[in-house]
Amino acid sequence: IAPCAGTIREIILRMHWSTSISDPTDDAITWKIYNRPSNKKMNGTTELSNFSMQNPTQGTTDANNTRRQTLSQAFNTGDAIMISMQWTSQGPESSADRIYVTVVVEYDWDSVTY
């Protein structure tokens, strides 16, 4: 729950695959950002935006293992913010695969209401 209004500025995806991905465009990731206002029950959501991201390749070098998307998705004080990611076909398959997501948020601390 957001303590004040703000903006989601960037989503950064880092991966550790147990194997290499030969063609990351075959398994792109669709991201969706949702909110639920503070005056609503949590049994529904509103999609605010979505975007597609090329899958990190993971190979013998560090090249192409980080993907980032710059955004300007605003939200209000008290909003619950949810972010989902879904692979086009299969995504990670091994229990050794790891997904690291960083969300960069800019808060407007002048809008704190408590």
Side-chain angles (χ1 to χ4, degrees):
I1 306 290
C4 55
T7 305
I8 298 171
R9 291 293 181 191
E10 186 174 25
I11 292 180
I12 303 165
L13 173 65
R14 294 177 181 93
M15 302 286 296
H16 171 78
W17 297 99
S18 57
T19 59
S20 295
I21 295 175
S22 57
D23 186 1
T25 58
D26 283 346
D27 206 9
I29 302 164
T30 299
W31 294 78
K32 294 182 180 182
I33 301 173
Y34 303 89
N35 83 326
R36 196 66 179 158
S38 62
N39 64 344
K40 303 286 185 187
K41 295 184 285 187
M42 286 301 293
N43 61 347
T45 58
T46 300
E47 184 179 325
L48 299 176
S49 61
N50 65 71
F51 61 91
S52 183
M53 179 184 284
Q54 187 180 17
N55 217 348
T57 54
Q58 185 70 35
T60 56
T61 70
D62 292 330
N64 300 319
N65 289 322
T66 300
R67 300 287 190 223
R68 51 188 355 121
Q69 177 74 34
T70 11
L71 301 162
S72 187
Q73 180 58 66
F75 56 85
N76 297 314
T77 302
D79 280 2
I81 303 295
M82 293 77 63
I83 299 173
S84 70
M85 58 189 291
Q86 181 174 358
W87 275 265
T88 301
S89 58
Q90 63 191 29
E93 295 182 316
S94 171
S95 62
D97 294 337
R98 301 290 181 260
I99 303 165
Y100 304 95
V101 177
T102 303
V103 179
V104 179
V105 178
E106 176 184 77
Y107 287 109
D108 175 9
W109 292 109
D110 292 333
S111 66
V112 173
T113 58
Y114 57 89

